Amino acid sequence: MAMTRVHEPSRSLAGNTCTIRLTEIFGRATKSILGFFLMMGLCNGVHYLLRPFSQPRTTSDTIVGLVVGNFMRKELDLSIHKTLRYIVDFGMTCYMFVLGLEMDPCVLFKAPTRDAKVAYAGMISTLILACSTIPFISFSKSKEISFILSLSTVLSSTASPVLTRLITNLKIGRSDIGRLVIAAGMHSDFISTLAICIGYLFCQCQETRLSIINGFQLGFVLLIQMIMAAKVSPIFMNWVNNENPEGKPMKGPHLVLAVAFMAFLCCCPTIFGYNPTLSAFLAGTFLPREGRVSRWAIGKINYLLTTVFYPIFFFWMGVESKLSDFEPGQIITWVRLLLLFAIVTVGKVVGTVIAGAILGFHWPESVALGLLLTMKGHFHIYLAISAKIAGKISTSTSIAMVFVIFFTVVHAPKVVAHIIRRARKRTPTHRMALELLDPSSELKILLCIHGPHNTGAAINIMEISRGTANPGVVVYVTDMIELTDEIAATLVQGEGVDTVTVTHTGVTQMRDQVTTAFQRYVDENGDGITLRRMLALSAFNCMAQDICILAEDLLGALIILPFHKNQRGDGSLSEGQAGFRYVNRKVIRHAPCSVGILVDRGLGSVEKISRSYVTLNVAVIFIGGKDDREALAYAGRVARHPGVKLSVIRFLVDADAENAARRAGTYRISVAEQEEEMRQDDECFAYFYERHVAGGHVAYVEKHMASSAETYSTLKSLEGQYTLVIVGRGGGVNSVLTYGMNDWQQCPELGPIGDVLSGSEFSAKTSVLIIHQHNLKGELDGLDDDFSIM
């Protein structure tokens, strides 16, 4: 018992010590986790703020890393510094391994292509400029030739992952200059990193005073690594790929074996003193890029890098870049910074301009290539900080290098914007929108019909669309016919490759009937109308594509499609054919020009629209947005018809209701976007008012409303007043007037207003034409994303 009493205090003390230690460990872990999420949140927040400026994520991450890292560095002890360094070294090893997997070593043994010549010219000129100027400025604590060559090689390289992501996000990756700069960036990145790998071997031997035998031994190990990766690994990888076919989950043992094999290849040279980051790059370069295992490794590692590693990496960069040691008061500090930036920029631009002159490029595009190829990234930041930690350079020089890397990224979006502006000027584009169409030019309409029952409404639409005889309208009447097995059996191949003749009796009779009706009308009343006949004979899943191709080939400005539902004798609409509805919705998404959907509820029964007196009352509803502007532009054509009495009804939202809706978060729209849309709306409506309303040709009515309920009531009040109502498909920027209407609409392709007007509760004698302005290709404002400018 006495012995027990003696040991009780020691056990209690040990327990308290253990508890205190666990508390410290869990406290540190909690702080680290919270710090990680704080860093991630700040990076995402700043990136969101910089999105209007098209800045890549590297820009926001660098800013956040420098600020947060310098703010928190006093709270970090030595152990956290070491932990951060271990995490960064491991993450950078994974980064370089994936970078190597995306490289093609076979380019070393091929004749230089055009992009390779651009890359080599930029690298050589930058290398020469750097080697001739760096020795005269004190960048390193010792002017070793190895440091000068290493820094020159790094300055001549390009961060291909950052460059590729930027070019892709800015939508020029499919253009000729986009493809060229991506390929040239990969060439530059591969050659410069490979040179660093080779140079590190000699520098390691020199610094550690290894014997020649040990140097050859390390080189031999690297050679064995590359041979195994190039010759042995394809056998193993192909076996794993064959055992795990596409579409099935990968087997766990095979996955473990593949990961272990790749890790083994990366780690072997490190046993003999080689750098693990560079070893991973060499292993990845010579491993096979194709196959399921390689794609799996690239996808998983890139995901981990993006979500976990990059916030930690930039925080580590900020911790190691102590801004108080930057020494901004010293002139030499600014000389280093400006000289490094000048070497990178001037060297690349001079090299690409020379290469462009030889290859026949325009000099502005050559300059743009050089500016884009100056881009640096994560690996270059890692080298700048590692050189400081190794004692090769001072903290001031290291921070200057980080700033230079930052500036090479910041200017890139402006360069891309300049490329797009020049492409718009030099590349012929056909912006097929009524809003942009010259009123004095002829209007080309692709007028689609399902059959003879659409003929009356189609003829009346053709009549009111023609405006004046000069310039008139060109109408391509297009039959939309489903290609069935019965019809396909009657097709006869013509002389051309894509020419076929339809011999099906039902189809030919129907087409003859439609042609006769249109031709008779044009012969009697066709002043200013040019009639053409087209056919869209396809299965429903291909018909939309055929219609879009027709419109693009014919340079049409407007496609008018019949609604998939037809009006019955009692005025109600039938269920319609789902296939035609699918076609309409797909044409709206992919059309190269504006699209209108005509809901015929009596327009086809109007026998003849006179050109001597008013026989048709038409209204156009304007709320706001590009679709409503397009509807207003079409209404401007209709207003010139002497037999049409047009009324413009503008829905305006009460200012108090709009402010209340914004405060309540009823609808979300950025202030800048709303102001731009409202500016365009006001300009468009002012132009229309001056041309048509001011002269008394068009009636004008304003309706002030505070909610979508009042919008619905106002629409109901128009019942029976007009034969045709023209509306835009979109809800406009004043979405408070249509908020909630999308929730119960039956046909989303008609939009909220069009759906109400064509509903069963509305007048059975009012036809509706819903107009949608097409989405511009490639999101480059009318410029195809595969444009050519070189």
Side-chain angles (χ1 to χ4, degrees):
M1 295 293 294
M3 292 179 63
T4 303
R5 291 193 198 96
V6 171
H7 286 286
E8 278 179 358
S10 62
R11 288 180 181 178
S12 177
L13 182 60
N16 291 336
T17 304
C18 183
T19 302
I20 294 172
R21 184 60 179 165
L22 286 174
T23 303
E24 291 178 355
I25 293 174
F26 282 116
R28 286 188 175 185
T30 303
K31 289 181 181 179
S32 300
I33 294 172
L34 291 176
F36 170 77
F37 283 109
L38 173 64
M39 185 70 187
M40 180 182 292
L42 289 174
C43 289
N44 291 329
V46 175
H47 178 63
Y48 178 80
L49 294 176
L50 294 179
R51 282 180 65 183
F53 305 100
S54 302
Q55 288 295 329
R57 182 169 286 276
T58 308
T59 303
S60 55
D61 290 353
T62 303
I63 295 173
V64 174
L66 286 172
V67 174
V68 176
N70 276 271
F71 180 76
M72 296 292 296
R73 69 185 320 273
K74 295 180 180 179
E75 306 297 327
L76 307 179
D77 55 21
L78 184 60
S79 62
I80 296 180
H81 279 266
K82 290 182 179 180
T83 303
L84 281 174
R85 182 60 193 270
Y86 293 148
I87 294 174
V88 168
D89 286 342
F90 176 76
M92 191 52 60
T93 301
C94 296
Y95 174 90
M96 295 301 291
F97 177 71
V98 171
L99 181 65
L101 275 176
E102 294 175 343
M103 298 298 175
D104 182 15
C106 297
V107 298
L108 297 172
F109 310 104
K110 296 179 182 178
T113 57
R114 189 173 65 162
D115 42 30
K117 292 176 182 177
V118 172
Y120 298 155
M123 289 181 63
I124 293 172
S125 60
T126 307
L127 194 67
I128 293 174
L129 183 61
C131 290
S132 58
T133 54
I134 288 176
F136 300 100
I137 303 296
S138 176
F139 283 99
S140 175
K141 297 178 180 179
S142 59
K143 293 185 177 181
E144 298 176 353
I145 187 65
S146 59
F147 174 82
I148 296 173
L149 291 175
S150 299
L151 181 57
S152 301
T153 305
V154 171
L155 293 176
S156 64
S157 66
T158 303
S160 61
V162 180
L163 178 61
T164 303
R165 178 65 63 86
L166 177 73
I167 296 298
T168 304
N169 289 344
L170 296 181
K171 311 297 182 183
I172 68 167
R174 293 178 57 191
S175 65
D176 57 349
I177 191 171
R179 295 192 300 269
L180 178 63
V181 74
I182 288 175
M186 293 193 70
H187 274 290
S188 178
D189 204 0
F190 174 59
I191 298 300
S192 60
T193 309
L194 189 63
I196 291 173
C197 293
I198 297 173
Y200 182 85
L201 176 64
F202 294 99
C203 294
Q204 183 74 2
C205 295
Q206 178 184 358
E207 292 178 5
T208 57
R209 292 181 173 81
L210 293 176
S211 63
I212 297 177
I213 297 177
N214 291 336
F216 275 111
Q217 185 181 20
L218 182 55
F220 180 75
V221 171
L222 290 174
L223 182 63
I224 294 296
Q225 178 200 36
M226 289 184 282
I227 293 175
M228 285 190 64
K231 299 299 181 181
V232 178
S233 62
I235 301 173
F236 175 75
M237 293 295 190
N238 289 335
W239 173 76
V240 175
N241 291 329
N242 293 333
E243 291 293 322
N244 298 271
E246 296 287 349
K248 295 183 179 180
M250 292 190 67
K251 299 175 183 177
H254 294 164
L255 196 59
V256 172
L257 284 175
V259 173
F261 180 76
M262 289 185 286
F264 171 75
L265 284 179
C266 296
C267 294
C268 281
T270 61
I271 300 174
F272 296 88
Y274 196 69
N275 184 274
T277 303
L278 301 180
S279 175
F281 174 79
L282 291 175
T285 299
F286 292 95
L287 277 171
R289 295 183 298 163
E290 305 299 329
R292 192 176 181 188
V293 175
S294 297
R295 292 197 303 271
W296 176 88
I298 292 174
K300 295 299 182 181
I301 294 176
N302 277 331
Y303 176 77
L304 289 174
L305 291 175
T306 304
T307 56
V308 178
F309 173 65
Y310 288 157
I312 298 175
F313 173 78
F314 284 100
F315 177 72
W316 168 78
M317 175 204 70
V319 170
E320 296 293 342
S321 302
K322 188 178 180 182
L323 294 178
S324 59
D325 293 340
F326 179 56
E327 300 175 352
Q330 301 291 329
I331 297 179
I332 190 64
T333 300
W334 298 104
V335 170
R336 291 178 188 138
L337 192 151
L338 295 175
L339 181 62
L340 287 173
F341 188 75
I343 291 172
V344 171
T345 306
V346 176
K348 286 288 186 182
V349 170
V350 169
T352 53
V353 168
I354 294 174
I358 297 173
L359 297 172
F361 297 161
H362 301 284
W363 71 266
E365 279 68 51
S366 298
V367 173
L369 281 173
L371 292 174
L372 290 174
L373 291 175
T374 61
M375 191 174 294
K376 304 294 185 285
H378 305 84
F379 182 55
H380 305 89
I381 294 175
Y382 175 77
L383 292 178
I385 302 299
S386 298
K388 189 267 295 186
I389 294 175
K392 296 292 183 181
I393 57 177
S394 64
T395 303
S396 175
T397 305
S398 175
I399 296 173
M401 291 179 177
V402 172
F403 285 163
V404 170
I405 294 168
F406 175 79
F407 291 136
T408 61
V409 177
V410 169
H411 75 273
K414 291 293 183 182
V415 177
V416 174
H418 175 73
I419 292 173
I420 295 174
R421 283 197 299 269
R422 281 184 54 81
R424 286 204 194 99
K425 294 179 181 178
R426 298 182 52 208
T427 305
T429 58
H430 180 61
R431 299 184 63 175
M432 297 178 282
L434 297 174
E435 183 185 358
L436 306 171
L437 190 65
D438 185 358
S440 62
S441 61
E442 66 179 4
L443 176 63
K444 294 183 178 181
I445 300 178
L446 197 69
L447 187 56
C448 301
I449 59 174
H450 297 160
H453 59 280
N454 299 134
T455 303
I459 287 176
N460 288 332
I461 285 291
M462 177 179 68
E463 170 64 35
I464 66 175
S465 301
R466 67 173 171 175
T468 59
N470 186 18
V473 62
V474 181
V475 180
Y476 299 91
V477 180
T478 305
D479 298 298
M480 299 170 62
I481 301 174
E482 182 188 7
L483 180 62
T484 62
D485 294 338
E486 181 184 355
I487 297 176
T490 64
L491 299 179
V492 178
Q493 183 68 43
E495 295 181 359
V497 177
D498 298 324
T499 304
V500 293
T501 302
V502 183
T503 60
H504 189 274
T505 305
V507 174
T508 54
Q509 289 179 354
M510 184 271 291
R511 296 202 74 212
D512 291 342
Q513 185 179 351
V514 171
T515 303
T516 301
F518 273 93
Q519 194 61 53
R520 183 188 303 117
Y521 186 88
V522 172
D523 292 340
E524 297 175 358
N525 312 278
D527 188 20
I529 298 177
T530 303
L531 183 65
R532 299 284 186 270
R533 291 288 277 125
M534 295 292 164
L535 174 63
L537 178 63
S538 307
F540 283 135
N541 59 347
C542 300
M543 189 178 292
Q545 182 181 5
D546 290 347
I547 292 173
C548 293
I549 292 173
L550 264 179
E552 190 165 14
D553 292 342
L554 299 172
L555 299 180
L558 178 64
I559 301 172
I560 297 182
L561 302 166
F563 192 44
H564 70 281
K565 296 181 180 181
N566 300 314
Q567 191 174 31
R568 298 190 182 101
D570 59 356
S572 62
L573 294 176
S574 66
E575 292 299 323
Q577 191 166 357
F580 283 122
R581 183 184 186 187
Y582 170 79
V583 173
N584 289 355
R585 299 176 76 168
K586 198 169 181 180
V587 169
I588 287 175
R589 286 197 302 270
H590 302 290
C593 62
S594 297
V595 180
I597 296 181
L598 176 62
V599 183
D600 179 19
R601 305 180 78 175
L603 182 63
S605 62
V606 179
E607 293 185 1
K608 184 178 179 181
I609 301 175
S610 174
R611 295 187 65 84
S612 303
Y613 55 91
V614 174
T615 55
L616 199 69
N617 287 324
V618 179
V620 56
I621 296 175
F622 185 84
I623 299 178
K626 66 174 188 176
D627 290 348
D628 283 21
R629 293 195 297 270
E630 196 74 352
L632 195 65
Y634 176 74
R637 297 261 177 177
V638 175
R640 294 201 292 260
H641 194 286
V644 174
K645 177 58 178 177
L646 180 68
S647 300
V648 179
I649 306 172
R650 187 172 190 184
F651 287 9
L652 295 173
V653 61
D654 289 339
D656 295 338
E658 185 179 17
N659 293 333
R662 187 179 290 112
R663 288 193 299 270
T666 301
Y667 64 95
R668 296 180 179 180
I669 185 169
S670 67
V671 176
E673 181 182 353
Q674 184 181 26
E675 290 178 350
E676 176 62 22
E677 283 289 341
M678 292 179 66
R679 183 190 64 79
Q680 295 183 32
D681 290 342
D682 291 340
E683 288 181 359
C684 177
F685 199 86
Y687 176 78
F688 181 89
Y689 190 96
E690 181 181 352
R691 285 181 60 90
H692 303 289
V693 179
H697 303 295
V698 175
Y700 174 57
V701 179
E702 283 187 1
K703 300 286 186 179
H704 292 265
M705 287 159 283
S707 65
S708 57
E710 294 187 15
T711 301
Y712 182 81
S713 301
T714 304
L715 293 175
K716 289 289 290 181
S717 68
L718 304 177
E719 189 170 1
Q721 298 183 31
Y722 304 99
T723 307
L724 176 66
V725 178
I726 303 170
V727 298
R729 177 173 177 262
V733 295
N734 296 322
S735 55
V736 65
L737 298 182
T738 57
Y739 178 77
M741 297 176 70
N742 294 330
D743 298 338
W744 40 267
Q745 61 184 355
Q746 297 179 355
C747 299
E749 65 269 25
L750 303 181
I753 305 297
D755 186 74
V756 171
L757 295 176
S758 60
S760 58
E761 299 179 359
F762 203 75
S763 173
K765 297 181 180 180
T766 300
S767 300
V768 188
L769 179 62
I770 301 95
I771 294 182
H772 168 75
Q773 189 182 86
H774 69 295
N775 298 316
L776 298 170
K777 285 186 176 180
E779 302 179 11
L780 294 179
D781 194 16
L783 182 68
D784 291 349
D785 52 9
D786 57 351
F787 65 87
S788 178
I789 193 177
M790 298 302 294

PDB file of all heavy atoms in Angstrom, residues 60 70 134 186 207 311 351 485 557 698 713-714 786:
ATOM      1  N   SER A  60      -4.941  36.137 -58.000  1.00  0.00           N
ATOM      2  CA  SER A  60      -5.588  36.302 -56.694  1.00  0.00           C
ATOM      3  C   SER A  60      -4.873  35.513 -55.608  1.00  0.00           C
ATOM      4  O   SER A  60      -4.729  35.989 -54.468  1.00  0.00           O
ATOM      5  CB  SER A  60      -7.050  35.860 -56.786  1.00  0.00           C
ATOM      6  OG  SER A  60      -7.156  34.541 -57.271  1.00  0.00           O
ATOM      7  N   ASN A  70       2.403  37.277 -44.698  1.00  0.00           N
ATOM      8  CA  ASN A  70       3.152  38.267 -43.924  1.00  0.00           C
ATOM      9  C   ASN A  70       2.433  38.636 -42.633  1.00  0.00           C
ATOM     10  O   ASN A  70       3.072  38.975 -41.632  1.00  0.00           O
ATOM     11  CB  ASN A  70       3.372  39.518 -44.786  1.00  0.00           C
ATOM     12  CG  ASN A  70       4.571  39.394 -45.700  1.00  0.00           C
ATOM     13  OD1 ASN A  70       5.684  39.736 -45.342  1.00  0.00           O
ATOM     14  ND2 ASN A  70       4.337  38.843 -46.888  1.00  0.00           N
ATOM     15  N   ILE A 134      22.912  39.744 -66.514  1.00  0.00           N
ATOM     16  CA  ILE A 134      22.859  39.336 -65.112  1.00  0.00           C
ATOM     17  C   ILE A 134      24.207  39.469 -64.399  1.00  0.00           C
ATOM     18  O   ILE A 134      24.254  39.888 -63.234  1.00  0.00           O
ATOM     19  CB  ILE A 134      22.307  37.898 -65.001  1.00  0.00           C
ATOM     20  CG1 ILE A 134      20.812  37.906 -65.320  1.00  0.00           C
ATOM     21  CG2 ILE A 134      22.537  37.321 -63.605  1.00  0.00           C
ATOM     22  CD1 ILE A 134      20.175  36.533 -65.330  1.00  0.00           C
ATOM     23  N   MET A 186       4.189  24.960 -74.213  1.00  0.00           N
ATOM     24  CA  MET A 186       4.565  23.611 -73.760  1.00  0.00           C
ATOM     25  C   MET A 186       5.986  23.273 -74.204  1.00  0.00           C
ATOM     26  O   MET A 186       6.752  22.662 -73.452  1.00  0.00           O
ATOM     27  CB  MET A 186       3.570  22.596 -74.293  1.00  0.00           C
ATOM     28  CG  MET A 186       2.168  22.739 -73.705  1.00  0.00           C
ATOM     29  SD  MET A 186       1.096  21.352 -74.042  1.00  0.00           S
ATOM     30  CE  MET A 186       1.839  20.085 -73.012  1.00  0.00           C
ATOM     31  N   GLU A 207      28.867  21.443 -56.260  1.00  0.00           N
ATOM     32  CA  GLU A 207      28.671  22.011 -54.930  1.00  0.00           C
ATOM     33  C   GLU A 207      29.031  21.028 -53.828  1.00  0.00           C
ATOM     34  O   GLU A 207      29.566  21.400 -52.792  1.00  0.00           O
ATOM     35  CB  GLU A 207      27.209  22.457 -54.786  1.00  0.00           C
ATOM     36  CG  GLU A 207      26.860  23.641 -55.672  1.00  0.00           C
ATOM     37  CD  GLU A 207      25.399  24.016 -55.540  1.00  0.00           C
ATOM     38  OE1 GLU A 207      24.717  23.398 -54.697  1.00  0.00           O
ATOM     39  OE2 GLU A 207      24.942  24.914 -56.262  1.00  0.00           O
ATOM     40  N   PRO A 311      -3.641  26.658 -52.069  1.00  0.00           N
ATOM     41  CA  PRO A 311      -3.750  27.601 -50.941  1.00  0.00           C
ATOM     42  C   PRO A 311      -2.584  27.495 -49.964  1.00  0.00           C
ATOM     43  O   PRO A 311      -2.081  28.519 -49.468  1.00  0.00           O
ATOM     44  CB  PRO A 311      -5.081  27.200 -50.282  1.00  0.00           C
ATOM     45  CG  PRO A 311      -5.870  26.552 -51.372  1.00  0.00           C
ATOM     46  CD  PRO A 311      -4.864  25.836 -52.213  1.00  0.00           C
ATOM     47  N   GLY A 351      12.576  37.615 -79.662  1.00  0.00           N
ATOM     48  CA  GLY A 351      12.673  36.289 -80.271  1.00  0.00           C
ATOM     49  C   GLY A 351      11.447  35.936 -81.096  1.00  0.00           C
ATOM     50  O   GLY A 351      11.567  35.417 -82.223  1.00  0.00           O
ATOM     51  N   ASP A 485     -38.934   5.658 -92.123  1.00  0.00           N
ATOM     52  CA  ASP A 485     -38.435   4.559 -92.961  1.00  0.00           C
ATOM     53  C   ASP A 485     -39.164   4.517 -94.294  1.00  0.00           C
ATOM     54  O   ASP A 485     -38.565   4.200 -95.344  1.00  0.00           O
ATOM     55  CB  ASP A 485     -38.613   3.223 -92.225  1.00  0.00           C
ATOM     56  CG  ASP A 485     -37.733   3.135 -90.989  1.00  0.00           C
ATOM     57  OD1 ASP A 485     -36.721   3.870 -90.937  1.00  0.00           O
ATOM     58  OD2 ASP A 485     -38.049   2.347 -90.076  1.00  0.00           O
ATOM     59  N   ALA A 557     -31.296  36.139 -91.308  1.00  0.00           N
ATOM     60  CA  ALA A 557     -31.323  36.964 -90.102  1.00  0.00           C
ATOM     61  C   ALA A 557     -32.375  36.504 -89.120  1.00  0.00           C
ATOM     62  O   ALA A 557     -32.334  36.886 -87.941  1.00  0.00           O
ATOM     63  CB  ALA A 557     -31.563  38.424 -90.468  1.00  0.00           C
ATOM     64  N   VAL A 698     -46.900  54.929 -85.177  1.00  0.00           N
ATOM     65  CA  VAL A 698     -47.026  53.850 -84.198  1.00  0.00           C
ATOM     66  C   VAL A 698     -47.571  54.436 -82.897  1.00  0.00           C
ATOM     67  O   VAL A 698     -47.117  55.500 -82.446  1.00  0.00           O
ATOM     68  CB  VAL A 698     -45.665  53.158 -83.946  1.00  0.00           C
ATOM     69  CG1 VAL A 698     -45.779  52.128 -82.840  1.00  0.00           C
ATOM     70  CG2 VAL A 698     -45.159  52.505 -85.231  1.00  0.00           C
ATOM     71  N   SER A 713     -52.000  40.581 -64.853  1.00  0.00           N
ATOM     72  CA  SER A 713     -53.275  41.284 -64.974  1.00  0.00           C
ATOM     73  C   SER A 713     -53.283  42.203 -66.194  1.00  0.00           C
ATOM     74  O   SER A 713     -54.284  42.304 -66.913  1.00  0.00           O
ATOM     75  CB  SER A 713     -53.556  42.092 -63.710  1.00  0.00           C
ATOM     76  OG  SER A 713     -53.605  41.247 -62.572  1.00  0.00           O
ATOM     77  N   THR A 714     -52.155  42.865 -66.438  1.00  0.00           N
ATOM     78  CA  THR A 714     -52.057  43.756 -67.595  1.00  0.00           C
ATOM     79  C   THR A 714     -52.151  42.974 -68.893  1.00  0.00           C
ATOM     80  O   THR A 714     -52.796  43.414 -69.853  1.00  0.00           O
ATOM     81  CB  THR A 714     -50.742  44.549 -67.539  1.00  0.00           C
ATOM     82  OG1 THR A 714     -50.665  45.251 -66.289  1.00  0.00           O
ATOM     83  CG2 THR A 714     -50.656  45.538 -68.677  1.00  0.00           C
ATOM     84  N   ASP A 786     -13.065  29.741 -83.214  1.00  0.00           N
ATOM     85  CA  ASP A 786     -11.995  29.120 -83.997  1.00  0.00           C
ATOM     86  C   ASP A 786     -11.495  30.080 -85.083  1.00  0.00           C
ATOM     87  O   ASP A 786     -11.116  29.648 -86.181  1.00  0.00           O
ATOM     88  CB  ASP A 786     -12.475  27.811 -84.619  1.00  0.00           C
ATOM     89  CG  ASP A 786     -13.712  27.999 -85.482  1.00  0.00           C
ATOM     90  OD1 ASP A 786     -14.292  29.100 -85.451  1.00  0.00           O
ATOM     91  OD2 ASP A 786     -14.101  27.059 -86.193  1.00  0.00           O
TER      92      ASP A 786
END
